[in-house]
């Protein structure tokens, strides 16, 4: 049973570690296939040794990492896209990379998904958690069931429903 | 769109999916009726379900790769807020520095952007507030920090004064400065660093490229505090070393390469290296072409060559002294360096005036050692003299043994002076009966007299005061303890400066005394200050930090903030475990944590911790030691909360026996144990026995602590409770009123203990069947508990139940039900709910439901109440 503060700590640590790992991945081998699941796994290998995470199970960590990964990716997507708009005012340092068009679409989709996911969080928080864990954290059905304390059949059903709902929203937003 | 609507949509979707495709349309039209939007939505979802190519299906891997992949970022836009970027000034491993101009003001600034650093959203706020502290650094020799913040993705940036100048080493070479000039420049640098230290800011990354000299000869120090931001990231991931830090290994201190904590001494080291370079015209270590591992070893282990032997062309009046200056600052062991930059400056001044330095291989510490040995004999002689006068051959009593053990338990580090003190109490016959007139206090008082005479050795004196103060505190003489601990603190401050670890230790000790004195605001302030200073001045795993953390946990616990205290104490336990597997300090930390868990209502965890502490204490101190008694009491307390009163009584009796033997019958510790035993007896309904014990306790506490002390309130609580049980309502009321008064004056109206006293008072009215009054009071109780603790705290739950009971008494059954259920809910949510309260709540609910004529609900709760009731 962790306090709010302890949870925030864990999240911050995980977030920073994921970002750090993400940046080293790109430096090492630009052509390497990159999966969030692999990153989460690497982050766990490292952070599990820290006393801060002593009372955290791998499953619970994955859950935190899923949330952190979501944040990392959404921020990365926003950063890239903001360059086209030339800065948002305030102190935004605009960065332009060689933004290829086809990948820009992917980023826009991710941000649209983020909007839809936030809406879902408001309405059905448990479904949103499920999506976050599976999509961003790479948890499989068994793990998700354990995390949410439901049966695997429930996970399948809820995923089916959430997926249909979110995709519908995404299509509407286009 | 609200939850209900979404639920409907989703439910309909699932149904539609299970219907055969051919029948689907008809089914949906039937189910949706007029709601065209509903129909459209569900149909769309069904269509999505059939498709398998969405983002959610393919996973985020591909997109993620793109987004996090490097594409050679370069900046196209040249605008950064109100600044216009003009050119790149420099690039390092961490980030880029730009020259920029503030358009509206026309002033030049430097903007540093740390590309390789990321702050999580939670840390960004903290980062920005820390910048405000840094921006306060206002010294002519320090480059101003104007602004700082984070970009949307957490990348930190800084806007600083733009300094046109060259690194100090280059300047000295270009201008061919003689030694005196170099020292003058160096001294100016030290003054700037000292100024920052005075603001509790450590640079952590001092090196020539951060020390610029302008054409005018003025010094400017750059990048203050920036290294701190990076370090906080490293600490977050608990890395022992990082590429960020290894950026400039040549100037990194041994503790930095080892990943241990930094402090003032780290800056001192860096200054030493800078001085080395200024004098020897080269860096102390050649790290070119070394792997990071090799570089680390060199920095940590290799002794630098004396500056004097490097470049013999340079003239200096006394090279030996310059060597000492430099090498003392650069000592591998932080403890052996100059303690403060001020001390370094003083020696620079001494050198320039041709005076002898203060730093010498034979340091102050060794000198003090000799003095102590001299003094020890003197003090023992006087004590023995006193004994001789009183005709006692063996003047060591059980109480002296206590003093020895408590002194041991109190002090994490046995300073040479404490060793001297302890030696006073060595040996002796433990079973000898205490002699009249020769109590510990007499010995200690004599010790105090001796200490006061030690004006020539202020360090020794300060430590003696500290030790004596601690002993007085253990013996319950808080006034004397206060005087001594305060004197020790003042003395250490003036001897060592405010940042010294011994000052920090004194602050913590004084803070803990304040807890005993029920001055909690001060206690927290002092202990926090002590802990902060200790963290700055000590390596990360140091025992002093562990001890100070435990102390802070204890203070926060005393204030009733268990949620805060628990993680802090867990940290302390972790720290202690790393220092030693079975030590008195570890046991103390475990015990504090157990206490916090107890007050938070986590009884099972508390049990485990208490058993651990008990086993540790037995191992270290033996069976009959007050710390063992304490653990027994705690174990009893948990049994008590579980309504297992005979078990609690058993534990308490064991503890009482030990405490009475140790402390004598009149000690506050004994009073406390008597109270708890009395309480258990009350619940076993052995009232006369109970009252007699508890009244003894009251007398002791009043005498020792004064009539308005919280410990007296504790005892009044017991007596009030007994009186209540015996239906002596007036007596109960008097006791509880007094208890409330005491808590109010000690802790204020908003403290939960005041609410507790008030609740007990309300219980009297309840028992008198004055339900109207009781209802009013319990409503207030619930409010106060909610404010002081939380809406779902155990005590709030109990308050709700009592409120329910009062309402039931007034026959406002519906109202009663609401509050009883609320309270019951809270109770069941507790991780280890107290059986007695649960039973009580259920019984009340049974009554209420019977009165409301809802037999099924009544039956539901009646089933859970054991038949024996």
């Amino acid at each position: 049973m962790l306090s709010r503060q302890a949870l925030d700590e864990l999240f911050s640590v995980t977030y920073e570690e994921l970002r750090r790992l993400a940046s080293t991945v790109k430096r090492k081998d630009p052509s390497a296939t990159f999966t969030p699941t692999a990153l989460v796994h690497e982050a766990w290998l490292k952070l599990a040794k820290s006393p801060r995470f002593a009372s955290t199970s791998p499953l619970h960590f994955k859950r935190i990492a899923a949330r952190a990964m979501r944040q990392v990716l959404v921020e990365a997507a926003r950063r890239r896209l903001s360059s086209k708009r030339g800065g948002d005012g305030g102190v935004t340092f605009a960065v332009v990379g060689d933004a290829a068009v086809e990948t820009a679409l992917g980023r826009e989709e991710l941000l649209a998904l983020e909007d839809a996911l936030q809406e879902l969080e408001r309405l059905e928080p448990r479904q949103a958690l499920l999506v976050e864990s599976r999509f961003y954290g790479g948890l499989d059905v068994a793990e998700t069931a354990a995390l949410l304390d439901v049966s695997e059949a429930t996970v399948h059903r809820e995923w089916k429903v959430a997926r249909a709902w979110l995709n519908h929203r995404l299509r509407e937003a286009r | 769109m609200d939850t209900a609507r979404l639920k409907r949509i989703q439910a309909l979707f699932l149904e539609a999916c299970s219907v055969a495709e051919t029948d689907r349309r008809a089914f949906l039209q039937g189910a949706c009726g007029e709601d065209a939007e509903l129909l459209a939505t569900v149909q769309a979802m069904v269509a999505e379900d059939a498709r398998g190519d969405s983002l959610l299906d393919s996973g985020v891997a591909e997109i993620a790769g793109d987004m996090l992949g490097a594409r050679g970022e370069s900046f196209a836009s040249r605008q950064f807020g109100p600044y216009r970027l003009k050119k790149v000034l420099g690039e390092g491993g961490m980030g880029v520095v730009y020259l920029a101009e503030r358009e509206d003001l026309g002033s030049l600034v430097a903007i540093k952007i740390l590309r390789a650093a990321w702050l999580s959203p939670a840390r960004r706020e903290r980062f920005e507030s820390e910048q405000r502290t840094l921006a306060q650094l206002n010294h002519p020799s320090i480059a101003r920090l104007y602004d700082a913040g984070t970009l949307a993705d957490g990348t930190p940036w800084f806007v600083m004064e733009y300094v046109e100048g060259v690194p100090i080493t280059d300047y000295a070479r270009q201008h061919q400065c003689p030694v005196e000039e170099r020292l003058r420049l160096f001294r100016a640098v030290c003054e700037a660093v000292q100024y920052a230290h005075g603001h509790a800011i450590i640079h952590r990354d001092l090196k020539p490229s951060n020390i610029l000299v302008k054409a005018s000869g003025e010094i400017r120090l750059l990048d203050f505090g920036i290294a701190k931001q990076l370090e906080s990231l490293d600490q977050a991931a608990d890395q022992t070393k990082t590429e960020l830090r290894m950026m400039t290994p040549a100037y990194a201190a041994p503790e930095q390469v080892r990943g241990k904590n930094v402090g003032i001494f780290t800056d001192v080291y860096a200054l030493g290296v800078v001085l080395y370079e200024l004098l020897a015209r080269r860096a102390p270590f050649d790290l070119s072409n070394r792997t990071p591992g090799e570089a680390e070893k060199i920095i940590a282990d290799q002794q630098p060559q004396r500056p004097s032997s490097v470049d013999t062309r340079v003239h200096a009046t006394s090279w030996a002294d310059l060597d000492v200056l430099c090498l003392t600052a650069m000592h591998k062991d932080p403890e052996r360096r100059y303690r403060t930059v001020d001390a370094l400056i003083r020696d620079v001044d001494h050198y320039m005036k041709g005076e002898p330095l203060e730093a010498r291989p034979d340091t102050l510490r060794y000198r003090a050692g000799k003095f102590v040995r001299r003094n020890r004999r003197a003090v023992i002689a006087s004590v023995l003299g006193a004994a001789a006068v009183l005709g006692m051959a063996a003047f060591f009593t059980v109480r002296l043994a206590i003093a020895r053990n408590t002194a041991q338990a109190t002090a994490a580090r046995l300073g040479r002076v404490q060793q001297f003190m302890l030696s006073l109490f060595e040996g002796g016959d433990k079973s000898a009966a205490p002699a009249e007139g020769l109590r510990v206090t007499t010995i200690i008082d004599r010790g105090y007299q001796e200490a006061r005479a030690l004006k020539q050795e202020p360090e020794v004196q300060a430590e003696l005061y500290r030790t004596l103060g601690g002993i007085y505190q253990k013996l319950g003489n808080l006034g004397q303890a206060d005087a001594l601990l305060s004197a020790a603190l003042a003395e250490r401050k003036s001897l060592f400066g405010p940042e010294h670890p011994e000052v920090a230790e004194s602050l913590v000790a004084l803070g803990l005394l304040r807890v005993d004195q029920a001055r909690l605001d001060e206690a927290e302030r002092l202990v926090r200050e002590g802990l902060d200073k200790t963290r700055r001045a000590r390596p990360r795993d140091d025992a002093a930090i562990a001890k100070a953390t435990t102390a802070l946990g204890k203070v926060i616990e005393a204030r009733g903030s268990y949620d805060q205290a628990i993680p802090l104490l867990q940290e302390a336990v972790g720290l202690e475990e790393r220092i030693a597997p079975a030590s008195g300090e570890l046991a103390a930390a475990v015990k504090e944590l157990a206490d916090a868990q107890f007050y938070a209502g986590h009884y099972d965890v508390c049990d485990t911790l208490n058993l651990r502490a008990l086993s540790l204490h037995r191992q270290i101190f033996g069976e009959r030691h007050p710390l063992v008694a304490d653990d027994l009491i705690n174990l009893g307390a948990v049994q008590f909360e579980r309504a297992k009163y005979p078990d609690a009584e058993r534990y308490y009796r064991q503890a009482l026996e030990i405490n009475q033997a140790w402390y004598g019958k009149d000690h506050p510790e004994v009073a406390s144990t008597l109270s708890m035993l009395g309480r258990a007896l009350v619940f076993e309904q052995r009232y006369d026995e109970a009252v007699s014990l508890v009244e003894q306790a009251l007398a002791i506490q009043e005498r020792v602590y004064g009539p308005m002390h919280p410990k007296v309130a504790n005892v009044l609580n017991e007596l009030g409770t007994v009186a209540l049980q015996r239906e002596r309502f007036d007596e109960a009321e008097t006791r509880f009123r007094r208890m409330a008064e005491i808590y109010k004056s000690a802790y204020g109206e908003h403290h939960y203990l005041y609410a507790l006293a008030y609740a007990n008072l309300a219980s009297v009215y309840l028992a008198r069947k004055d339900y109207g009054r009781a209802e009013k009071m319990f409503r207030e109780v619930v409010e106060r508990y909610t404010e002081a603790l939380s809406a779902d705290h155990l005590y709030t739950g109990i308050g709700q139940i009592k409120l329910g009971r009062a309402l039931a008494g007034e026959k406002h059954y519906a109202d009663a039900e609401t509050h009883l259920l609320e309270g019951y809910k809270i109770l069941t949510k507790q991780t280890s709910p107290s059986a007695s309260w649960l039973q009580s709540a259920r019984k009340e609910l049974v009554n209420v439901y019977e009165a409301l004529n809802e037999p099924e609900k009544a039956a539901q709760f009646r089933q859970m109440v054991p038949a024996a009731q």
Side-chain angles (χ1 to χ4, degrees), chain B residues 670-680 693-694 697-698 714-715 718:
Chain B
V670 169
S672 172
T673 320
L674 283 166
S675 290
M676 304 203 71
L677 177 54
R679 209 204 219 180
L693 290 175
V694 179
L698 182 63
N714 263 349
V715 184
E718 310 305 338

Side-chain angles (χ1 to χ4, degrees), chain A residues 12-13 15-16 19 23 26 36 50 71 75 77 79-80 93 103 123-124 127 160-161 163 167-168 171, chain B residues 3 7 10 44 48-49 51 54-55 57 60 66-69 80 118 120-124 153 236 238:
Chain A
S12 292
V13 173
Y15 172 93
E16 284 157 18
R19 284 214 61 177
S23 78
K26 71 195 181 199
S50 149
Q71 189 128 13
E75 279 180 354
R79 180 157 51 105
R80 294 239 166 200
F93 191 52
T103 52
L123 301 170
E124 285 278 20
Q127 274 181 19
K160 181 183 171 85
V161 164
R163 184 188 160 279
N167 283 334
H168 162 64
R171 201 170 287 278
Chain B
T3 307
K7 275 195 183 343
Q10 289 187 343
E48 291 294 346
D49 185 59
R51 286 197 199 95
S54 73
L55 171 62
D57 300 302
V60 77
D66 286 334
M67 282 190 289
L68 298 173
F80 188 85
W118 307 274
S120 74
R123 293 198 203 277
R124 285 168 210 174
D153 66 355
D238 285 325

Side-chain angles (χ1 to χ4, degrees), chain B residues 359-431:
Chain B
R360 278 275 125 206
D362 186 24
T363 66
L364 193 63
R365 180 189 302 248
Y366 298 119
R367 278 191 295 181
K370 294 181 199 134
F371 287 132
V372 172
R373 277 191 280 280
R374 272 213 309 270
N375 274 319
R376 173 193 234 162
R377 275 178 255 127
V379 179
I380 291 185
S382 71
V383 171
L384 283 172
V389 162
L390 293 160
M392 291 297 299
F395 59 88
F396 298 111
T397 69
V398 164
R399 288 186 190 167
L400 295 180
I402 296 166
R404 176 192 72 205
N405 286 335
T406 51
Q408 266 176 353
T410 305
R413 73 201 161 109
L414 289 180
R416 61 213 180 278
V417 171
Q418 280 174 327
Q419 269 166 349
F420 138 67
M421 288 296 306
L422 296 174
S423 71
L424 283 187
F425 303 121
E426 224 74 79
D429 184 3
K430 265 192 233 176
S431 59

Side-chain angles (χ1 to χ4, degrees), chain B residues 230-277:
Chain B
L230 308 176
E231 187 170 278
S232 69
L233 304 177
D234 306 332
Q235 281 174 1
D238 285 325
Q239 287 176 285
T240 51
K241 57 178 181 284
T242 161
E243 289 128 48
L244 303 170
R245 250 206 294 265
M246 288 309 282
M247 208 184 91
T248 43
Y251 302 94
E255 63 270 16
Q256 279 177 309
V257 301
R258 288 238 169 84
K260 294 197 191 290
N261 236 11
V262 297
I264 290 178
F265 44 81
T266 311
D267 276 354
V268 171
Y269 178 91
L271 286 170
V273 177
V274 169
L275 180 59
Y276 188 104
E277 260 198 70

